[in-house]
Amino acid sequence: MAAIAAQRMTESETRTEYLDRFKPRLMDWSAARVFMMKNLVIALRYPTNVLIWGLIPILWLAPYLLMMTAVAGPGTSEHFAEISGFNDFLTFAVIGWFVYRYIDTSIWSVGNNFRWEQFSGTLEPLFVTPVPWISILVGAAFSDTIQTTVSAFILLGMCTLLFGVSYAATMILPVIIVMLLMVLGLYGFSFMLAGMILVFKDPSVLTELISTAVFTVSPVNYPLQVLPTGVAFAAFLIPSTTAIIVIRELAITGIFQPLAFLQSIALLLGLVLFFWVLGVGAFKYAEKWTKTKGSIGGF
Amino acid sequence: MTTAKTEGIFEKMMEREGPRAEFRAATALAIKTWKVELSYPLSVLYFIVSPFLWFIPYLLVGSAVAGTPTSAVFGTLAGTTDWVSYVAIGNAFSALALSIFWGTGNTFRREQNTGTLETLLTTPMKNATLVWGQMLHNMQHGGLGVILQLTFSVLFFGVTINAWGILPSLAIVALAIVGMQGVVFAMTCVVLLAKQGWMIIEVIGSSLMLVAPISYPIAVLNPILQYVAVSSPLTWSVESFRNFLMYGLMAPGILESIVVLAILDVIFISVGSVLFKHTDRYVRSQGALSEF
C-alpha cells in the first residue's frame, strides 16, 4: 500500500501544468515552431551540409547538359525548340533543377523525418511527447524548406557563374507566389510519404523508387511533350509539375499573362487542398496502423 | 555442449586463415546482405525497376534534343550516330559502378547504423574482407541490374548488342571491379575517418561518373576534365565494355583500352589497399572505430 501511495505521489509531482491542461488536437503550432528550431540548430552545427547540397546537384545536372550537347550540339536544337518553345536547353534545365531541389527535399527530408529520428535514437521520446505528430512533421517541413532555399540559391548562383544562364528578375513576385503554393502542396505529398515510410520502414528503397519516378515524369530536363500522353497527364498530379512549367515560363520569358497565371494558381490551390487531405489522411491511417501492429520502433 | 567442445570450436575459428577462409567469410557477408535486402519486399520491386528508371531520363533527354534515335553531331564526337545504344550500354555499366561505390564504400557506416559493426569487427577475419564481402554482393546485385537493363533496352528500345562481345565484356567487368575496389578502399578510409562520409562518397562517385563516357563521349568535356577522365579506371572500363558489346571482338582501340585499364587497376588497388591498411590501423589506435 505504501509503495502504491508513494508511486501516486511521484506521479502527481511529475505532472506538469501543460499535461493537466492537455487536450488532443489536430495541430500544435507551438510544437511545430520548437521542432523547426531544433532541426535548424542541428543544421547550423553542420553548415557544410547546406553548402554541399547547393553544389552536389551541379554534378547531377551536368551529365544531362553534356549529353544534350553531345547529341544536339551546343546550346539548342531545332527539335527541342519546336517541342518546348524555348531555344536554350541550358537555361531550360537549370531553372528546372532549381525548383526540383524542393521536390527532392520533400521526398528525402520531410518524408523520411521519422526514420532519421529513429536512426538518431530520438523517435521514442518524440512519440511519447504530448503533441500531434503532424505538428512535428510541419516543423520538419519548415526547417527543411529554409535549408533548401539556401541550397537552391547556391545552385542557381553557381549555374549562373558556370553556364552563364540568366532569368527575368522582374518576375520574382509571381515566382515566389507559385513557389509558396508548390511548397505547401509538397508538404501534403511528403506527409503521405512519411506515413508510407512508417508502414514499410526501409526508407532507402521506397524513397529512391518514388524520387526516381517523380524525377522521370517531372519536366526538369525535358518538356512534358516527350512523355507518352498518359504519363504526361499523370505528371500533373504531382504538385510541382504545374509550378515548374509556370516558373520556367515566367523566369525565362519575363512575360506575365494574368489569365494564365490565375488559372495556374487555381490549379495549384486545388492540388494543395487535395494533397493536404490525402497526406494528413494517409499519415493518420499509417500512424494508427503501426500503433495497432506495435511496429513503430521496429526496423 | 561441453566446455571443452565449445573451446575447440572457438580455437578452430581463431586459427582459420588463408585466402580460402577469407573468401568464405566474404561469401557469407554477401549472402547476409542479400537476405537483408530480400526481407524488405519493396527492395525486390526496386531492384527490378531501378535499372529502367535510371536510364529513362537519359533516353527522354536525348529524344527531346535529337528527335530521332540517331544524331550526326553525336557521330562526329563518339564515332557512332546511334546515341541510344551508346547511352543504354553506358548507363547499364554505371548502375554497376554506382552499386559498388555506394554499397561498398559505405559498408562500415551502414553496419554501424544497424549496430552490427562491433560484432563483425570481432569476427576472426581481416577487416578488408568486410569490404570485399560487400563488394562481392554489390557485384552480384549490380551485375544482375546490368543484365536486366540491357535486356530491357534490347527488347524495348532497339538497342543492338554484338553477341561475340558478351564474354569479353564480362572480362572487362572483372578488370573494372579491381580498379573500382581501389577507389572504394579510399572511400572507406574517408568514412572511417570522417564518419559522415556520404558527402565524400557522393562527391567522388558523382565526379567519376561525370568525367566517365557513360552518356556522352569525353570529347564534350573541357580539356582539364578530359585529363581527369583518362586517369580514371571507370572511363576505360565503360569504354571497353561498350566497345565490346557494340562492335564485338574487333572493337576499335580495344587493346589500348585494356592495357591502360590493367595499369590503372594495379595503381588504384595498390594505393587503395595501402591507404585502407594504414587508416584502419590509425583509427584502431585512436579507439575511434565505432564512434559516431
Side-chain angles (χ1 to χ4, degrees), chain B residues 19-92:
Chain B
R20 202 167 149 229
E22 296 303 324
F23 180 72
R24 283 183 66 187
T27 310
L29 283 164
I31 294 170
K32 179 218 57 153
T33 312
W34 272 117
K35 282 182 178 170
V36 172
E37 285 183 359
L38 294 174
S39 64
Y40 294 96
L42 275 173
S43 287
V44 182
L45 175 68
Y46 183 66
F47 171 68
I48 295 166
V49 300
S50 63
F52 321 136
L53 282 176
W54 289 341
F55 168 55
I56 286 171
Y58 286 96
L59 186 75
L60 292 169
V61 162
S63 303
V65 292
T68 59
T70 55
S71 156
V73 181
F74 197 81
T76 58
L77 293 167
T80 171
T81 55
D82 179 8
W83 64 265
V84 177
S85 297
Y86 186 97
V87 175
I89 299 171
N91 262 274

Side-chain angles (χ1 to χ4, degrees), chain A residues 89-153:
Chain A
F89 54 62
L90 275 175
T91 317
F92 181 95
V94 167
I95 193 77
W97 275 87
F98 172 77
V99 181
Y100 183 73
R101 290 292 301 119
Y102 289 87
I103 309 169
D104 207 33
T105 299
S106 76
I107 297 170
W108 280 100
S109 298
V110 189
N112 277 288
N113 185 64
F114 284 127
R115 191 65 173 175
W116 305 143
E117 294 290 347
Q118 192 179 33
F119 280 142
S120 316
T122 45
L123 184 68
E124 284 81 359
L126 271 181
F127 281 164
V128 292
T129 307
V131 291
W133 285 16
I134 209 78
S135 48
I136 294 173
L137 278 180
V138 170
F142 283 160
S143 68
D144 285 329
T145 305
I146 294 168
Q147 292 172 62
T148 305
T149 303
V150 177
S151 299
F153 274 96

